[in-house]
Amino acid sequence: MATKFVAFTSLGRRALPNQWDVIAFALIFGGFVLAVQAGRGMVLPLPAPRTVAVVLDYSYLPYYALRTTLRMFAALAASVLFTITYATLAAKSRRAEVILVPLLDVLQSVPILGFLSFTVTFFLNLFPGRVLGAECAAIFAIFTSQAWNMAFSFYQSLRTVPADLDEVANGFRLSGWQKFWQLETPFAIPGLIWNMMMSMSGGWFFVVAAEAITVGDTTIKLPGIGSYLAVAIDGRRVDAVLAAVVTVLVVILLYDQVIFRPIVTWADKFRVELSASQDVSESWVLNLLQRTFWIRAATRPVHQAFDWFTSLRLGAGRGGLREVVTPRVARAIDLLWFVLVGAIALYAAWGAASFVAKTLAWRDVGEAVLLTLITMMRVVVLLALATAFWVPVGVWIGLRPRIAERVQPMAQFLAAFPANVVFPIAVIGILAFHLNADIWLSFLIIFGTQWYIVFNVIAGASAYPNDLREVARNFRIGGWTWWRSVILPGIFPYYVTGALTASGGSWNAAIVAEYVRWGNDRVAAHGIGAYIAQATEAGDFPKIVLGVAVMSVCVILFNRLFWRPLFGYAERRLRLN
């Protein structure tokens, strides 16, 4: 015992926590207390239907913000787990890709009310009489607004690992497991983290629908910023709406500084090429953690365990199996698989058609198809307008690192700004000036999704090689020739990723933007989003199924015929570069 004491005291001051440990412990313990405080409300009994769950008193806003933030990070954790499994399977298995990628196209485009209409009852029955059932329904709704974007980003990164890095991994004879954790995942981390931030920002757009759930006669308002906004809009309380917006901005600033900024700074080391703007990335929280002694010592075993986990030689002995499976057997397996997938798809289509045919006629199908085409035209026009405006602006910002460093935080705030706040202004203006709802409500669709284009274009321009810019300057290439031959080819892969995500988000946003209200006043535009929203409000499940089914078919065709060829072209360009 004496020997151990002498050994311990010989460490001197390094055996004691430093001042940075004390500050870090205070932050971690404070976050833990806040999480427990918010979590307590999730396990309470479900209040009576007429009980007022949300009040418009400003003093409740910090607690509501805490509950909403906990839901969003719970959904984000589920989205990360979903992304790593789903996107990896789609990128690694050609047969799984046949199902998973088209399914991902549909899932990122289907409005969250299309999920809520069928999941609320499931989760309430899963935890009868408890708030936890409604919490799970809300978390799942937020999950559906976050996961698809992250999964698509991770899938794209796994498909576009540079060929030279892949050859190095093969040269070191890394197993499939080691290659995934030591090459492919680090390569995908910067894009995944950026899309996590965008998913959190985009989640605020749908938090009202997630926390204030109305499906037919079932209405549930969970304590949170989203339900607070819903009650404020119903009561025409402009002051409460502004108070909620200020609270959202404060919450975004806090979790950006405490959580996302350290992760972004840490992820810079995984970038293949660093631009001038990315070299100066810093985080006071990360610097604080790096200066601690006890916390770093406590996390060292975790790092060692993770290194051991990622170094396992799993998936290293598959060569023999590939030699056994001849090309003829492989073609037979492919044929069998496609037949099975086709049979399942036909069975699902037959089940949906049978359910809809009980109460609806062909006239209703024609109406849903027409409304879907109207929404599609609206999405295409809005994406074209956003592209024409934001591509030049994004290139101008991205090529100027100092300006990009100042503009990106501001753009992140705008991306997270609850677009629902603008809806009452739109309703009041349309009713007061007798405006055309089909035109003026359309801009609300792109309000929250245009930022995917902005951030991707800025990222593409920031990563554009300086030597190529110097070559273009030396040859005095300017004007339209510079745009066509120099910068547009360089940012094209980034733009396609942003535009594809914005397209899916616009379809999703149509459910909220084509049918808006302010108190008892309601304004609807012609489109499949308003069709599904009105059917959900009325609890008309056949129309909900019909609307979601028709929209899904349209989205699949649109993505297969337009976005997928563009994505494939951008993918080939990125791999060549």
Side-chain angles (χ1 to χ4, degrees):
M1 182 65 69
T3 304
K4 293 182 179 180
F5 179 76
V6 172
F8 178 79
T9 56
S10 65
L11 293 176
R13 297 183 60 185
R14 290 183 59 83
L16 300 176
N18 55 30
Q19 66 271 27
W20 309 112
D21 280 301
V22 175
I23 299 174
F25 271 125
L27 288 175
I28 295 172
F29 184 74
F32 177 76
V33 171
L34 291 176
V36 171
Q37 182 66 22
R40 289 176 56 190
M42 294 184 174
V43 296
L44 296 176
L46 196 64
R50 296 184 180 180
T51 303
V52 178
V54 178
V55 294
L56 298 182
D57 190 338
Y58 298 161
S59 62
Y60 286 88
L61 277 172
Y63 176 69
Y64 292 163
L66 189 61
R67 292 284 295 271
T68 297
T69 304
L70 186 61
R71 292 185 193 109
M72 294 188 71
F73 275 100
L76 188 66
S79 299
V80 171
L81 182 61
F82 170 85
T83 295
I84 294 176
T85 54
Y86 188 100
T88 302
L89 185 59
K92 297 291 185 180
S93 173
R94 182 172 56 86
R95 297 187 181 97
E97 184 183 19
V98 175
I99 299 177
L100 298 183
V101 173
L103 187 61
L104 185 63
D105 290 336
V106 174
L107 289 175
Q108 74 169 346
S109 307
V110 173
I112 64 171
L113 287 186
F115 297 102
L116 279 177
S117 306
F118 302 98
T119 57
V120 170
T121 305
F122 169 77
F123 284 114
L124 290 179
N125 291 333
L126 193 62
F127 302 97
R130 312 297 296 182
V131 175
L132 187 58
E135 290 284 353
C136 289
I139 292 173
F140 181 78
I142 299 172
F143 164 85
T144 61
S145 68
Q146 295 178 343
W148 324 133
N149 174 48
M150 294 165 54
F152 183 79
S153 169
F154 199 71
Y155 166 79
Q156 180 206 22
S157 297
L158 294 181
R159 292 289 302 269
T160 57
V161 174
D164 52 349
L165 296 181
D166 194 63
E167 291 177 0
V168 171
N170 294 331
F172 279 101
R173 297 182 179 180
L174 297 182
S175 66
W177 181 262
Q178 292 172 328
K179 184 179 177 181
F180 175 75
W181 287 109
Q182 299 179 21
L183 170 62
E184 295 169 339
T185 299
F187 177 77
I189 277 180
L192 176 61
I193 291 176
W194 181 86
N195 279 278
M196 286 170 60
M197 297 173 61
M198 286 302 301
S199 293
M200 280 292 290
S201 298
W204 288 102
F205 187 91
F206 299 102
V207 76
V208 173
E211 293 180 348
I213 305 169
T214 300
V215 181
D217 297 330
T218 303
T219 300
I220 300 173
K221 285 185 173 64
L222 294 170
I225 295 293
S227 53
Y228 185 94
L229 264 174
V231 174
I233 291 174
D234 288 337
R236 296 173 178 262
R237 286 281 303 274
V238 178
D239 61 316
V241 171
L242 295 178
V245 172
V246 172
T247 304
V248 169
L249 295 181
V250 171
V251 170
I252 293 170
L253 178 62
L254 288 175
Y255 72 62
D256 176 73
Q257 289 296 312
V258 176
I259 297 177
F260 281 123
R261 194 55 50 192
I263 296 176
V264 169
T265 304
W266 167 79
D268 279 346
K269 64 181 181 180
F270 296 114
R271 296 187 181 275
V272 178
E273 294 182 0
L274 287 173
S275 66
S277 63
Q278 294 164 343
D279 286 335
V280 296
S281 179
E282 290 186 358
S283 167
W284 63 271
V285 173
L286 186 61
N287 293 337
L288 170 65
L289 294 176
Q290 290 174 342
R291 292 172 181 173
T292 61
F293 175 68
W294 274 20
I295 292 180
R296 293 185 64 186
T299 57
R300 193 170 295 117
V302 179
H303 296 162
Q304 294 173 349
F306 184 76
D307 290 340
W308 171 82
F309 177 75
T310 57
S311 299
L312 296 174
R313 292 196 60 81
L314 301 177
R318 296 184 299 176
L321 180 62
R322 292 179 180 177
E323 293 176 1
V324 172
V325 179
T326 62
R328 178 176 297 180
V329 174
R331 286 194 297 269
I333 294 175
D334 289 342
L335 180 61
L336 208 70
W337 175 251
F338 293 146
V339 170
L340 179 61
V341 171
I344 294 174
L346 289 176
Y347 178 77
W350 176 80
S354 300
F355 178 76
V356 170
K358 293 179 180 179
T359 55
L360 302 180
W362 284 106
R363 180 180 66 256
D364 298 294
V365 177
E367 179 187 7
V369 171
L370 178 61
L371 293 176
T372 302
L373 293 177
I374 292 175
T375 298
M376 184 179 70
M377 289 175 51
R378 190 173 283 132
V379 169
V380 170
V381 171
L382 291 172
L383 284 177
L385 293 176
T387 297
F389 180 78
W390 284 116
V391 167
V393 174
V395 169
W396 185 82
I397 295 173
L399 294 180
R400 292 160 177 81
R402 293 183 180 179
I403 296 177
E405 184 181 355
R406 298 176 182 176
V407 168
Q408 284 188 6
M410 185 187 307
Q412 185 179 348
F413 276 108
L414 293 174
F417 185 83
N420 315 75
V421 177
V422 184
F423 294 174
I425 302 175
V427 174
I428 295 172
I430 290 172
L431 295 177
F433 297 100
H434 305 286
L435 302 176
N436 189 334
D438 289 322
I439 296 176
W440 293 99
L441 287 182
S442 299
F443 293 101
L444 300 180
I445 295 177
I446 202 69
F447 187 87
T449 58
Q450 60 185 332
W451 306 109
Y452 292 109
I453 298 177
V454 176
F455 276 98
N456 275 281
V457 171
I458 292 177
S462 299
Y464 194 82
N466 288 326
D467 52 352
L468 296 183
R469 293 174 58 188
E470 291 294 334
V471 169
R473 187 180 295 113
N474 291 336
F475 281 97
R476 297 181 180 180
I477 300 175
W480 172 243
T481 303
W482 180 82
W483 281 97
R484 183 187 60 193
S485 304
V486 179
I487 194 64
L488 288 181
I491 67 168
F492 185 70
Y494 296 87
Y495 165 76
V496 171
T497 301
L500 177 57
T501 308
S503 175
S506 297
W507 282 97
N508 208 328
I511 189 71
V512 185
E514 290 183 348
Y515 184 68
V516 298
R517 55 191 176 86
W518 174 244
N520 294 325
D521 296 328
R522 286 170 170 77
V523 176
H526 292 88
I528 196 64
Y531 180 89
I532 297 175
Q534 291 169 331
T536 302
E537 189 177 61
D540 192 340
F541 287 95
K543 283 192 174 182
I544 295 173
V545 173
L546 176 63
V548 172
V550 173
M551 174 187 280
S552 300
V553 172
C554 182
V555 169
I556 289 177
L557 292 176
F558 186 63
N559 288 346
R560 288 287 121 183
L561 298 178
F562 182 73
W563 285 119
R564 282 301 159 192
L566 273 183
F567 177 74
Y569 176 70
E571 181 180 293
R572 291 191 297 272
R573 287 191 60 87
L574 193 59
R575 289 192 69 89
L576 289 175
N577 293 336

